């Protein structure tokens, strides 16, 4: 399924004039995030995220911020989590990109939607910002 999603993203990018190699580079960073959290690989998260990133979310109708360093420290090496993520969309121009990720968490009966901002510096894409929301799904 991952390969089909990558094919679709690459095909869409080529048709819209975007570089296949840039989409692949962005997609690699996104899957470092997705697979790093699912498989207990904090080093992949450190590769994917800028060291100063934060997460933003709404709780009890108020804006909340979570330190990116604390988020990564929450992922324990080798401790897998029951989450299934996939890239829904990527859009980029020059050295700026935005991605939409969907993460299914069966144990919590939630579907998270992440919106990620990325920038490319020193020939490397990094996630600099994450905001998320979730919805519960019925049994």
């Amino acid at each position: 399924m991952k390969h089909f999603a990558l094919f679709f993203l690459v095909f869409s990018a080529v048709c819209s004039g975007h570089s296949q190699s840039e989409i692949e580079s962005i997609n690699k960073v996104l899957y470092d995030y997705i697979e790093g959290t699912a498989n207990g690989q904090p080093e992949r998260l450190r590769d994917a995220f800028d060291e100063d990133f934060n997460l933003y979310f709404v709780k009890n109708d108020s804006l909340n911020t979570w330190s990116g360093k604390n988020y990564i420290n929450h992922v324990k090496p080798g401790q897998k989590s029951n989450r299934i993520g996939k890239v829904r969309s990527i859009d980029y121009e020059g050295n700026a990109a935005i991605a939409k990720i969907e993460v299914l968490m069966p144990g919590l009966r939630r579907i998270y939607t992440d919106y990620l901002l990325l920038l490319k510096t020193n020939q490397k894409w990094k996630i600099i910002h994450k905001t998320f929301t979730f919805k519960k799904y019925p049994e």
Side-chain angles (χ1 to χ4, degrees), residues 47 58 93:
D47 285 342
V58 174
E93 192 66 46

Side-chain angles (χ1 to χ4, degrees), residues 28-46:
K28 183 201 176 304
V29 171
L30 298 175
Y31 275 97
D32 278 343
Y33 155 58
I34 291 168
E35 294 172 0
T37 53
N39 296 316
Q41 299 169 311
E43 70 282 356
R44 288 182 76 179
L45 297 178
R46 286 185 198 94

Side-chain angles (χ1 to χ4, degrees), residues 6-24 90 92:
L6 177 59
F7 169 78
F8 178 75
L9 290 170
V10 170
F11 178 76
S12 299
V14 170
C15 290
S16 65
H18 284 125
S19 162
Q20 176 179 347
S21 64
E22 288 295 347
I23 292 293
E24 289 172 352
I90 296 172
Y92 85 95

